[in-house]
Structure formats: C-alpha cells, structure tokens
Amino acid sequence: GEVSTALVGAEWRAERWQAGAALSRSWGSGSYGGAHRGEVDTSGMTGLFPYGRYALTPRLGIWAVAGWGWGQLSLQPDGTAGEYQPGTKLSMTAVGMDGLLLDGGAEGLSLVSTAEVLRVRTVSEGVADLAGSEGIISRRRLGLEATRAFPLSNGAALTPSLSVGIREDGGDAETGFGLEMGAGLSWNDPGRGIRGELQGRSLLSHVEEDFREQGLALSFNWDPDPTDRGPSLSVSHSLGTATDGGLDALLNPVAIQVLDGPGSNGQQSEARLAYGLPAFADHLTMTPGLGLALATDSSTYSLLWALTPYDQPDQGEPWELSLQAERHEDNTSDSPVNHSLKLRFSLLF
C-alpha cells in the first residue's frame, strides 16, 4: 500500500537543555492477502511525540522520547459487503545516552558511545465479529566506537576507527541477540579540500543463524574552496548493507537481512557535482548541481539548486533555500517512473 504523512515540529534549545515536540498526521490505503484477502484504508492516524535532551558534558548527553497515536482503520474483506472500522492506538517510549566519552584531541584516542532502550505498542480495537489485536516491539542497543588520528604532512591526517555494537530485539517482530563490528579508515587533506574514506561492517553472530550482514563502502569528496564558492564533487560506491552513520548505522534495525533476501548483496553508486556562484551583488551564493544514484534495482537522477548567504571560512549558514527535482526508476518491476519536486527552507536562530 501507500502512506502519506504530514509532519510539523518545534524545538527549543538552551545551553544544556534541548526540548521539542512533533505532531504528525498520516493517511494510507492498501490490501492484505493470505487465507483472507481484502482492502484496508487508514482514515487518519494522529501522533504526538515530545522529546528532550540534557547535556551532561558539551559532547555527552542523555535523551528521552515519548509518543502517542490514535486513529481509525477501514477493513473491507473480499466477497463480503461488510466493513470493519476499528479504532487504533499507538504508544512508545525511548531513553538513551550518546556522545563522546573520551576526547583524544588531534592525536589521541577518542571514544564515542551510545546506549538506548525502546518500546512501541500498537492496539486495534475489536468490532462486531472482528477480534482486537496488539503488537509490541522492543529494542535494546549498546555501542562503542574508537578513533585515533595520525597527523601527516601539510595538515593532512589518517584516522582509523573500530566499532562494536550489541542489540537485542523483542516483541512481535524480529527477535534475538546480535553482535556487529565495523572498521574504517579515512584520509583528510584540508589544504587540498580532499577527503577519502573506506568503511566496512559485519554481523559477527546472531541467535537466528540464517541472518547475515556485510557491508563495504568507499567514498571520495573534493571541495577545494574553504568558502561555499567554486566546484565540489562527491563520489561513493557501496556493497551490501549501509556503513555510513557510525554507530547508528551499525545498530540500525534494517541491517538484519536474510541470506538470500532482496538487497543482501546489492550495490549502489552515487555522484554529486555542484558549483557555487556569486549572486545578488556578491551577498549570496547560488549553487546549481547534478546528482546520480545507480543501484542494483533502481536509478535516480537529480537536479539541485540552493541559495545561501555568502559563507566565509569558519562561519555557519544562518539560512538556506533549496530546490531538488528527482526522477526515480525501478529497474526490476513494471512500476511507473516516479518524479518529485522538493522545496526546503531552513533558518538557524
């Protein structure tokens, strides 16, 4: 089926505190099969998700998220004129800690950690001769990543990294205990605006013996101008599961895949080329660009455009206006080509 979601949020920050809330509204439609077939529609699901974070140190914090959702389903079994409209409810809680445990500076050993506990519960009410149902998903994660930079000539540095993650899933979805490990090597030359990175990860063990996971990714970035003007190029190639994102990717639930499942050994290549140009009497920077993503089963082409204030070195961008046109094609099915247009505005205050 298909689901559409509208989301709005607000956030407040202080020196140590961060708090906010997100309000969502979703609509969907689809079908179900098996011994009994039919159509299903979501007349509307509303969700409220407040969250907060407190910084124990400038780079280590604890956080918590809660969530409540309510709505209604419409179930229409095949071969009958009846319709069931059960109410649905959702509740979730999550708490965790993440950040820098040890800061080794430019030449020492640094340790980053993450710990998290999550529980989600969904309920559909019983109506007429249709029984109610309940689903629960739980997750516990613990990860540690170590990095150490080795300075080279002309300000360049070589940084190896090693990470290990432990997760346990429970409830009515994927369950079990797993141990994962990742390693990487990055080379950064700020003087030339060059950065290269090699990342790999593997699922070492899992209680479900059929689960397998390996991933390998190579990326290259070139941005010779320290401001936001001039050319920039990024190229990457990946094999298997995602490797970018540090500990979050290492512990991501989508990492668990069946050995012969779709995407278990998929490849993807991405490239992006952009050029920053002066605009509006040199006060702003206009950046057109091109993007290309080729995967085992799909291809995506993008036209990019962004407008920002002229970014001097070591200064942030207080606002950004961007527009992205995208064409996505699935190579393994008869589904139609998808076109999308995304307009985004961000303001930092």
Side-chain angles (χ1 to χ4, degrees), residues 68 81 159 223 245 281 319 349:
W68 298 271
T159 306
D223 190 357
W319 60 267
F349 60 90

Side-chain angles (χ1 to χ4, degrees), residues 208-273:
E208 298 291 343
E209 297 181 356
D210 289 337
F211 284 158
R212 297 291 186 270
E213 174 194 83
Q214 289 85 32
L216 184 67
L218 177 66
S219 63
F220 173 82
N221 294 274
W222 176 62
D223 190 357
D225 197 323
T227 69
D228 55 1
R229 300 282 174 82
S232 63
L233 173 68
S234 63
V235 180
S236 66
H237 180 77
S238 62
L239 173 66
T241 55
T243 60
D244 58 339
L247 287 177
D248 188 62
L250 191 70
L251 298 171
N252 197 302
V254 300
I256 298 178
Q257 297 177 348
V258 181
L259 178 61
D260 58 351
S264 59
N265 58 357
Q267 300 188 49
Q268 179 166 323
S269 299
E270 296 185 16
R272 176 173 176 173
L273 176 65

Side-chain angles (χ1 to χ4, degrees), residues 307-340:
L307 186 67
T308 59
Y310 182 35
D311 181 22
Q312 300 291 341
D314 301 326
Q315 292 184 1
E317 298 176 348
W319 60 267
E320 180 182 16
L321 176 66
S322 63
L323 183 66
Q324 178 175 336
E326 189 173 274
R327 180 183 188 272
H328 179 82
E329 182 177 2
D330 193 339
N331 303 329
T332 60
S333 68
D334 296 330
S335 59
V337 177
N338 294 321
H339 295 85
S340 63

Side-chain angles (χ1 to χ4, degrees), residues 7-346:
L7 180 70
V8 61
E11 188 173 275
W12 169 82
R13 294 189 183 189
E15 183 177 356
R16 285 183 174 267
W17 287 96
Q18 176 183 351
L23 181 66
S24 68
R25 181 71 175 178
S26 300
W27 306 263
S29 62
S31 60
Y32 57 93
H36 304 280
R37 299 177 179 271
E39 302 293 326
V40 56
D41 290 301
T42 302
S43 57
M45 168 69 77
T46 302
L48 178 63
F49 302 90
Y51 59 90
R53 180 182 176 89
Y54 177 73
L56 300 173
T57 69
R59 301 184 66 179
L60 178 66
I62 55 176
W63 56 266
V65 183
W68 298 271
W70 56 94
Q72 192 174 43
L73 293 174
S74 174
L75 304 176
Q76 300 174 339
D78 288 349
T80 65
E83 180 180 359
Y84 301 101
Q85 294 185 331
T88 60
K89 295 181 181 180
L90 176 145
S91 62
M92 65 89 66
T93 55
V95 295
M97 180 184 72
D98 57 47
L100 191 65
L101 287 178
L102 176 65
D103 188 357
E107 301 182 20
L109 178 67
S110 298
L111 295 176
V112 177
S113 70
T114 182
E116 173 190 306
V117 177
L118 167 73
R119 186 179 187 272
V120 181
R121 177 176 179 262
T122 58
V123 175
S124 64
E125 300 174 349
V127 292
D129 58 343
L130 180 67
S133 64
E134 178 185 50
I136 296 177
I137 297 174
S138 63
R139 182 180 72 194
R140 289 180 286 182
R141 307 192 308 174
L142 177 65
L144 184 67
E145 180 178 28
T147 60
R148 189 184 190 284
F150 294 90
L152 304 176
S153 59
N154 301 322
L158 192 66
T159 306
S161 63
L162 181 66
S163 56
V164 60
I166 301 173
R167 61 175 293 130
E168 183 180 15
D169 296 279
D172 300 312
E174 294 174 335
T175 61
F177 172 87
L179 175 65
E180 303 175 75
M181 180 169 288
L185 181 66
S186 65
W187 170 59
N188 188 23
D189 189 343
R192 299 178 182 177
I194 297 176
R195 179 179 178 86
E197 192 168 14
L198 176 66
Q199 294 284 342
R201 57 184 293 192
S202 176
L203 177 65
L204 298 183
S205 65
H206 197 279
V207 293
E208 298 291 343
E209 297 181 356
D210 289 337
F211 284 158
R212 297 291 186 270
E213 174 194 83
Q214 289 85 32
L216 184 67
L218 177 66
S219 63
F220 173 82
N221 294 274
W222 176 62
D223 190 357
D225 197 323
T227 69
D228 55 1
R229 300 282 174 82
S232 63
L233 173 68
S234 63
V235 180
S236 66
H237 180 77
S238 62
L239 173 66
T241 55
T243 60
D244 58 339
L247 287 177
D248 188 62
L250 191 70
L251 298 171
N252 197 302
V254 300
I256 298 178
Q257 297 177 348
V258 181
L259 178 61
D260 58 351
S264 59
N265 58 357
Q267 300 188 49
Q268 179 166 323
S269 299
E270 296 185 16
R272 176 173 176 173
L273 176 65
Y275 198 100
L277 301 169
F280 296 95
D282 207 34
H283 295 297
L284 303 178
T285 298
M286 182 175 61
T287 308
L290 299 172
L292 172 66
L294 301 176
T296 305
D297 55 358
S298 65
S299 56
T300 304
Y301 307 89
S302 304
L303 291 176
L304 315 168
W305 179 88
L307 186 67
T308 59
Y310 182 35
D311 181 22
Q312 300 291 341
D314 301 326
Q315 292 184 1
E317 298 176 348
W319 60 267
E320 180 182 16
L321 176 66
S322 63
L323 183 66
Q324 178 175 336
E326 189 173 274
R327 180 183 188 272
H328 179 82
E329 182 177 2
D330 193 339
N331 303 329
T332 60
S333 68
D334 296 330
S335 59
V337 177
N338 294 321
H339 295 85
S340 63
L341 186 65
K342 303 176 183 178
L343 177 64
R344 179 177 182 269
F345 176 75
S346 62

